Amino acid sequence: AKKNLSDNHEYYAKSIESQTTWRLDMIRQLRSDFINRKLQLWYQPQVDLVSEKVVGMEGLLRWPDGEGGYISPAVFIPLAEYSGLIVDIGQWVLEESCRKLKELKEAGYDNLRVAVNISIPQFRDRHFVEKVKNALIASDCDPSLLELEITESVVMDEPQIVIDALTTLKEYGVGIAIDDFGTGFSSMSYLQKLPLDRLKVDRSFVKDIQPGKSAVLAETIVTLGNKLGLLTIAEGVEKREQASYMIKLGCVEAQGYLYAKPMPFEALMSYLHDHSTT
Ligand code: C2E
Ligand code: CA
Ligand code: CA
Ligand code: CA
């Protein structure tokens, strides 16, 4: 039934009323699948650009459509945000990531970090900071191995609330990354007020890198990140020449299909085994 819902999206999109019906059906299904533990967290390796050793991973949600495929996060994350479901789903993502950090440590990978995406409604939850700390305590994880990824739109929603929450978490040891950097409309002044560790150069700028051409925006963003004392990581690296260009710009890390696609945890474990980080 879910597959139908997504297939018929265009048909449903004909009227506002049927769009609303489609949305409500999707949200109802998402809630039920979440409660029934059908959501999965997959992991995409992040590597050091020069050595290509794995340094961490990003957790990415996957929603099985019941027929062997997956509904894109680009479709269901906005619905989860709109409905408020993202608060509980995001909490599960945090807890699951901390459990995996523990499993990684037990398997001997005690210095790999896990990054998770945080949405606006999670920051509006007054207990957010406490919940993050509790997830770390419950699984006995080193806070510095957990990284929170926030986009510019998260910051712009409630700048002071977000800055305060992140400052507290940073003092606790948690890492903070600004995601999709350059695609939003944040005020540059917030960049310095945020306790950032890492700047993620959006895939669209990495895509601009073509043989024999200069990629002005990618270069400007890496330079800005470096000047602010942040580590920079290139997103969506698919080609060798993109990786070597980013190295020349002074970018430190990368994530992208050139290295690996997002994969279930068990697959990640064999990937780590095959790409030994020691
Ligand atoms: P994002 O945070 O920017 O995540 C990176 C996206 O780029 C992922 O898409 C990943 O699969 C994709 N990607 C990575 N490398 C490459 C590459 O080399 N080429 C191409 N074409 N794509 C690449 P995905 O998994 O579909 O997730 C889409 C978005 O959904 C994420 O974008 C993030 O905004 C959101 N999302 C996913 N999981 C969560 C979550 O747990 N919580 C929240 N709030 N949002 C999430
Ligand atoms: Ca992200
Ligand atoms: Ca991103
Ligand atoms: Ca994105």
Side-chain angles (χ1 to χ4, degrees):
K2 258 175 284 164
K3 183 75 180 305
N4 270 350
L5 289 173
S6 31
D7 285 350
N8 289 341
H9 188 184
E10 264 173 74
Y11 167 77
Y12 274 108
K14 274 183 186 156
S15 76
I16 303 272
E17 192 190 332
S18 49
Q19 230 186 73
T20 307
T21 306
W22 174 82
R23 253 206 226 163
L24 293 178
D25 284 348
M26 289 291 273
I27 290 168
R28 196 173 302 126
Q29 188 68 52
L30 179 60
R31 179 179 293 114
S32 136
D33 281 1
F34 171 60
I35 290 168
N36 292 305
R37 300 169 178 271
K38 301 258 178 66
L39 293 194
Q40 301 171 11
L41 197 60
W42 285 25
Y43 302 86
Q44 185 178 32
Q46 299 178 329
V47 305
D48 177 274
L49 261 168
V50 174
S51 69
E52 295 196 359
K53 281 181 179 165
V54 181
V55 291
M57 65 212 73
E58 176 177 6
L60 293 157
L61 274 166
R62 290 293 177 265
W63 182 18
D65 66 6
E67 298 179 27
Y70 297 88
I71 297 163
S72 169
V75 171
F76 76 82
I77 295 291
L79 294 172
E81 291 175 340
Y82 164 82
S83 63
L85 268 176
I86 196 70
V87 174
D88 288 340
I89 294 177
Q91 182 59 23
W92 175 76
V93 167
L94 275 165
E95 289 165 5
E96 181 69 5
S97 305
C98 290
R99 283 190 288 269
K100 294 312 183 199
L101 271 174
K102 190 174 189 188
E103 282 188 44
L104 284 165
K105 185 163 106 187
E106 284 163 0
Y109 304 108
D110 57 0
N111 57 357
L112 297 180
R113 56 169 201 266
V114 177
V116 297
N117 295 285
I118 308 292
S119 287
I120 288 173
Q122 292 177 268
F123 278 101
R124 291 191 180 157
D125 174 0
R126 283 189 300 121
H127 303 292
F128 177 67
V129 169
E130 211 178 316
K131 284 176 170 180
V132 175
K133 286 185 182 174
N134 288 340
L136 285 161
I137 293 166
S139 47
D140 192 24
C141 288
D142 177 352
S144 70
L145 296 179
L146 179 68
E147 187 162 272
L148 307 182
E149 295 194 359
I150 48 165
T151 60
E152 290 160 277
S153 48
V154 171
V155 182
M156 294 312 285
D157 177 62
E158 289 273 14
Q160 204 50 54
I161 291 180
V162 173
I163 291 168
D164 290 347
L166 293 180
T167 304
T168 310
L169 286 168
K170 167 80 177 221
E171 281 164 7
Y172 192 67
V174 174
I176 318 284
I178 185 111
D179 200 2
D180 301 347
F181 189 75
T183 63
F185 296 95
S186 69
S187 146
M188 284 289 166
S189 63
Y190 288 126
L191 214 51
Q192 278 185 297
K193 292 194 182 126
L194 287 167
L196 298 174
D197 298 288
R198 205 174 310 276
L199 185 156
K200 299 193 81 177
V201 181
D202 189 67
R203 186 167 89 216
S204 57
F205 304 116
V206 175
K207 217 175 173 176
D208 284 345
I209 301 168
Q210 311 279 353
K213 290 209 296 189
S214 66
V216 179
L217 291 175
E219 180 172 352
T220 305
I221 290 169
V222 173
T223 305
L224 175 66
N226 288 341
K227 290 214 163 150
L228 288 169
L230 307 175
L231 282 161
T232 48
I233 175 164
E235 294 197 84
V237 174
E238 295 181 358
K239 301 191 175 101
R240 276 273 145 231
E241 57 264 31
Q242 294 169 338
S244 33
Y245 192 88
M246 290 311 285
I247 292 174
K248 265 189 274 171
L249 295 184
C251 187
V252 182
E253 295 172 350
Q255 180 180 345
Y257 295 171
L258 176 64
Y259 311 99
K261 290 190 171 179
M263 59 188 103
F265 189 72
E266 301 67 42
L268 177 90
M269 283 303 233
S270 10
Y271 182 89
L272 290 176
H273 181 82
D274 297 342
H275 298 75
S276 182
T277 53
T278 48

